[in-house]
Amino acid sequence: MSRAVRLTVAASAAAIIALVIGMIAGGRAFPRIIPGLPDSGVVVRWGLPLSKLLMDAAGVVTVGLLLMAALLLPNDKGVLGKSALDYVKAASWAALVWAGSAFLAIVFGVAESIGRTVPQILERTILTSYATQTTQGVALTLVVLFGVAIALFSRGAITAGAAAGLLVFALVTLLPAPLTGHTSSSPNHDLATSSVSLHLLSLALWVGGLGVLALHALRKQPRLDVVATRFSRMALWCYAGVGLSGLFALVARLGAISDLWTSEYGLLALAKIVAFVLLGYVGYWHRQRTLADLRAGKPRAFTRLAGGETLLMFATVGVAVALSRTPPPEYSIPADRAFELLGFPLPPPLTLSGIFTMWWFDLFFAVVAATLAGLYGAGVVRLLRRGDRWSWGRTAAWYIGVALLVFSTQSGLARYAKVMFDIHMIEHMTLSMVVPIFLVLGGPVTLALRALKPASRRGDRGPREWITTILHSRFTKVVTHPLVATAIFITSTYALYFTPLFESAMNEHLGHIWMTLHFLISGSLFFWVIIGVDPGPHRLPYVWRLLMLFVTMPFHAFFGIALMMMGSVIASGWYEQLGRTWGDTLLQTQRDGGAIAWGFGEIPTLLVLLAIAVQWYKDDDRQARRADRRADRTGAGDPELDSYNDYLARLNRADKGE
């Protein structure tokens, strides 16, 4: 038996043992059977967590294999090498196992939900109803479909770009199933949803990447030193993401600190914390000792330590599955429908001081804002240390945009935006028409291209090369076409508010995140085409930019007028459930929101006009200086200017009768 096979068997055994211990500690292995109530039996009781363990492990392995192929292994001008192609093909088989285990989870989930044994529920109508009409069933069905899609597309992937796209697809596939369990029923479900999402993504990249890295080392594959160094850099960020998100996930589920040692859920969480600390120590040892030995041509210590760390990580996955089967401790919450929907009590009547004092922590957009601010600042610092200059105006514009993003998503404005349509419209317009203007004026792509170093190996892709590849990709060329960017910016607003999409997005935290992200991304795309200072596939003349602006803005005015003229309330089901008794009626707040949409466009229009005027002036001045330098260098003037001066001289002589 090869060492790679032994590691795989050992990792599987560690995960299963940890699951069994966790199930026993959490009280789910031998629950009390109440006479007269249906019981699905021991097969279902153990079959469901085991199938979910296999599903999670297969998903993590799929992510790790695609990560290795797309980002960790060097490639030749975007084309995958032999080792990378082998990992992509292995990801195809892992994705099939992922889909198959998700189907088994559906079968066992049906049996557990109705208290029947597996043979009793093997009927098409029962399985179909569970898979299409229950939240958990739909989530598992998506995993089955997406897993099969990843398996099929992996067969034809031969480029790093295709492998990277499949990696993103696999990360998305990880999310549906865990986000429909205890997370969705948590009192603070907004924080729980965001923290669990970040936790899963960080953990999958970390565990999957390390597991495949250990296999790579055991199989004595080439470029181990490069792969290990790249993974070490990424693992540090994943470790921070896992720790931060895990902390907030516990805060969202536990009512008190004492629940950590007084409840089964808390004890399992403590076991994960201990494993997390041990993994951090092992990672530190990697960076301090074994990576240096690896570069010196002594891989044995690294291989042993990576194998041990892999076992510990997969044991942690087993504990995580047991934790997902253990209900969190119960604690009293207000019997308030608004609290259940919002995750916080209904705010008091709207006041200006409430907007600036009732801050609300949104983990997702806090991470987004911190990432944007941190990466930009790191780029500026690197340029300054190198002796290069960077415009302070661009830096100020970027941080103004980040500050407005924080205010729109974390302040009292975010609280009231979920309760009142007119405040929501202020948030919408700020995120889609003000924040993007300052962000695109910051020139983040130009800063990244100047601050990042080229890949050390010619033909390989580092962060700088990936940015260049994305800029020149067919997708970027399509979405940044002026007509496409304008269509997305305009039509998405109408499609959101005049269809059931808006109410659906307000009812689900993930839907609300996607809606807010869409505001930010669609606005950034549109204004990047008009006033962006970064290099792009399409550079419009300034006259066409002005025309594009003046053609687009009236559509927002028409949208506002349409809202003001409506006689029915948009998303009435959402707003009526909140039970707000103060302030204007739902229809009046909607009309006020329409008036805001109508008049708000003047602010971004003025900002964009100023930006275009300044850019136009600077461009003309730049061209004039370039012409002067060319004339000084060649000793000849501008041919067009000389011809025009000769024409004026001839007219002057003709007037004098010469």
Side-chain angles (χ1 to χ4, degrees):
M1 184 184 294
S2 67
R3 291 188 297 171
V5 174
R6 288 201 298 269
L7 177 62
T8 303
V9 172
S12 303
I16 293 173
I17 292 172
L19 171 64
V20 172
I21 295 174
M23 290 279 290
I24 295 173
R28 301 294 294 177
F30 307 105
R32 187 178 62 174
I33 307 300
I34 301 177
L37 294 180
D39 177 38
S40 54
V42 67
V43 173
V44 173
R45 190 178 310 132
W46 285 98
L48 182 57
L50 285 172
S51 62
K52 287 189 174 182
L53 174 61
L54 179 60
M55 181 180 72
D56 291 346
V60 166
V61 170
T62 303
V63 168
L65 291 167
L66 293 172
L67 174 68
M68 177 69 78
L71 301 179
L72 298 183
L73 276 172
N75 57 74
D76 186 12
K77 296 181 179 180
V79 178
L80 298 177
K82 182 181 181 303
S83 297
L85 287 173
D86 291 340
Y87 286 125
V88 172
K89 291 179 182 178
S92 175
W93 292 108
L96 280 180
V97 175
W98 193 3
S101 55
F103 178 76
L104 288 177
I106 291 176
V107 174
F108 289 122
V110 173
E112 184 187 59
S113 64
I114 63 177
R116 303 285 182 87
T117 61
V118 172
Q120 293 174 331
I121 57 93
L122 290 179
E123 183 181 337
R124 188 181 65 178
T125 56
I126 298 177
L127 290 174
T128 302
S129 298
Y130 180 84
T132 59
Q133 297 180 15
T134 65
T135 305
Q136 186 69 17
V138 171
L140 292 172
T141 302
L142 289 176
V143 175
V144 173
L145 296 176
F146 291 170
V148 172
I150 293 170
L152 293 176
F153 288 124
S154 296
R155 291 291 177 177
I158 60 174
T159 65
L166 289 170
L167 173 61
V168 174
F169 195 12
L171 290 172
V172 172
T173 308
L174 288 171
L175 297 178
L179 295 182
T180 55
H182 300 313
T183 301
S184 60
S185 59
S186 173
N188 195 348
H189 48 76
D190 286 9
L191 180 59
T193 300
S194 297
S195 58
V196 167
S197 300
L198 178 60
H199 194 73
L200 285 171
L201 298 179
S202 302
L203 195 63
L205 290 169
W206 187 22
V207 176
L210 179 66
V212 178
L213 175 61
L215 290 175
H216 192 80
L218 290 172
R219 295 172 62 220
K220 298 182 179 179
Q221 293 294 303
R223 313 299 297 181
L224 178 59
D225 55 338
V226 175
V227 172
T229 301
R230 291 182 177 181
F231 176 77
S232 178
R233 297 193 194 107
M234 187 199 72
L236 181 61
W237 291 98
C238 291
Y239 186 80
V242 169
L244 178 68
S245 58
L247 174 63
F248 285 114
L250 281 178
V251 170
R253 289 185 175 92
L254 300 182
I257 296 295
S258 59
D259 289 334
L260 277 174
W261 55 83
T262 59
S263 66
E264 292 86 356
Y265 187 92
L267 291 173
L268 288 176
L270 279 177
K272 279 192 66 177
I273 293 173
V274 171
F276 174 76
V277 174
L278 289 175
L279 287 169
Y281 176 75
V282 174
Y284 172 79
W285 190 267
H286 264 306
R287 296 178 69 89
Q288 296 297 316
R289 299 289 182 89
T290 61
L291 284 180
D293 292 341
L294 189 60
R295 296 188 193 100
K298 296 183 285 186
R300 290 179 60 84
F302 173 83
T303 303
R304 289 196 301 268
L305 194 59
E309 189 177 2
T310 300
L311 296 181
L312 182 57
M313 279 190 170
F314 275 86
T316 306
V317 172
V319 174
V321 174
L323 192 64
S324 70
R325 298 286 299 159
T326 306
E330 297 182 358
Y331 57 93
S332 60
I333 59 174
D336 182 8
R337 180 58 175 162
F339 187 91
E340 295 176 6
L341 294 171
L342 300 171
F344 53 84
L346 190 72
L350 177 65
T351 59
L352 186 61
S353 62
I355 294 289
F356 288 94
T357 58
M358 296 181 60
W359 288 78
W360 168 250
F361 181 69
D362 187 309
L363 176 62
F364 180 84
F365 286 102
V367 171
V368 169
T371 303
L372 293 177
L375 291 179
Y376 196 95
V380 172
V381 170
R382 175 174 286 188
L383 286 182
L384 295 178
R385 286 179 176 175
R386 204 166 62 194
D388 294 337
R389 297 177 57 189
W390 181 254
S391 169
W392 290 108
R394 292 184 181 182
T395 305
W398 179 265
Y399 282 104
I400 289 173
V402 172
L404 289 173
L405 173 63
V406 171
F407 181 76
S408 300
T409 58
Q410 312 287 323
S411 70
L413 184 71
R415 283 188 187 245
Y416 284 104
K418 291 187 175 183
V419 177
M420 303 180 69
F421 188 86
D422 48 356
I423 305 301
H424 165 81
M425 192 55 61
I426 294 175
E427 182 188 46
H428 172 181
M429 293 297 164
T430 302
L431 289 170
S432 65
M433 300 177 69
V434 179
V435 173
I437 292 176
F438 290 100
L439 293 182
V440 299
L441 288 176
V445 178
T446 303
L447 175 63
L449 292 175
R450 290 184 57 187
L452 292 171
K453 298 178 181 178
S456 57
R457 180 176 178 268
R458 186 176 180 83
D460 195 11
R461 284 185 180 175
R464 191 177 190 276
E465 288 74 21
W466 273 109
I467 293 174
T468 305
T469 300
I470 294 172
L471 280 176
H472 292 90
S473 67
R474 184 177 303 176
F475 174 79
T476 302
K477 290 179 180 179
V478 171
V479 298
T480 58
H481 190 279
L483 293 179
V484 176
T486 303
I488 293 174
F489 187 60
I490 294 174
T491 59
S492 59
T493 300
Y494 288 84
L496 175 66
Y497 290 100
F498 297 140
T499 66
L501 286 175
F502 177 64
E503 184 166 0
S504 299
M506 295 297 287
N507 274 289
E508 297 289 341
H509 181 58
L510 282 179
H512 191 269
I513 287 177
W514 283 114
M515 177 175 64
T516 309
L517 266 181
H518 175 76
F519 294 156
L520 189 62
I521 294 173
S522 62
S524 299
L525 186 65
F526 175 74
F527 289 110
W528 188 46
V529 174
I530 295 183
I531 59 172
V533 297
D534 291 322
H538 307 283
R539 304 299 296 178
L540 287 177
Y542 291 100
V543 174
W544 284 101
R545 299 184 189 191
L546 289 172
L547 181 62
M548 187 175 169
L549 175 67
F550 289 131
V551 167
T552 303
M553 288 307 166
F555 284 96
H556 281 276
F558 298 153
F559 167 72
I561 293 172
L563 288 178
M564 294 169 65
M565 295 179 63
M566 287 185 66
S568 59
V569 177
I570 297 175
S572 58
W574 165 260
Y575 289 111
E576 288 172 356
Q577 291 182 86
L578 299 177
R580 177 174 60 85
T581 57
W582 46 263
D584 293 327
T585 63
L586 297 180
L587 189 58
Q588 183 58 46
T589 58
Q590 181 172 300
R591 289 171 176 168
D592 292 342
I596 291 169
W598 182 18
F600 199 95
E602 296 180 2
I603 299 174
T605 301
L606 177 60
L607 293 174
V608 173
L609 285 175
L610 289 173
I612 291 177
V614 172
Q615 291 175 356
W616 200 343
Y617 169 77
K618 288 184 176 181
D619 186 60
D620 285 345
D621 184 59
R622 216 167 17 245
Q623 292 184 18
R625 290 199 306 269
R626 189 180 299 119
D628 291 341
R629 287 194 299 268
R630 184 171 60 248
D632 294 339
R633 188 168 54 250
T634 61
D638 188 342
E640 294 183 1
L641 181 60
D642 293 342
S643 176
Y644 182 67
N645 288 334
D646 291 341
Y647 171 71
L648 292 178
R650 288 196 301 272
L651 288 179
N652 188 38
R653 287 195 298 270
D655 291 340
K656 294 180 178 180
E658 297 179 1

